Amino acid sequence: MDPTPLTVRYFAGARAAAGRAEERTPAGRSLNDLTADLARRHGDRLAAVLRVASFLVNGVTCHDREAPLPGGATIDVLPPFAGG
């Protein structure tokens, strides 16, 4: 397993809820584990966004939230957008 940290990028309402555009976080876990950790660290507002967000892993929609995320991956957090 690649220990290179993950890059999490927040867009739109996720950026506002997280209070940042991007952060690095340890690798070696699933998307479900990652989102639980992010919700714990950033609070209820981000937790609510994460429950309805879509996620891209290295630009590809993530369908298996239990699969280990590859080290060095970029995770995009995409909340629902108005009108779409």
Side-chain angles (χ1 to χ4, degrees):
M1 179 183 338
D2 183 350
T4 307
L6 305 172
T7 299
V8 179
R9 300 188 307 183
Y10 300 102
F11 293 87
R15 178 180 293 182
R20 64 191 65 204
E22 181 176 302
E23 68 181 293
R24 308 252 306 161
T25 187
R29 51 196 166 159
S30 71
L31 184 60
N32 280 342
D33 294 335
L34 173 63
T35 56
D37 179 50
L38 295 173
R40 273 192 303 275
R41 288 193 285 131
H42 295 292
D44 292 340
R45 188 170 171 208
L46 182 61
V49 172
L50 294 172
R51 282 193 291 276
V52 297
S54 297
F55 300 90
L56 301 180
V57 178
N58 292 332
V60 177
T61 301
C62 181
H63 294 288
D64 183 358
R65 296 176 60 110
E66 289 298 326
L69 296 167
T74 298
I75 314 303
D76 294 331
V77 181
L78 307 170
F81 293 94

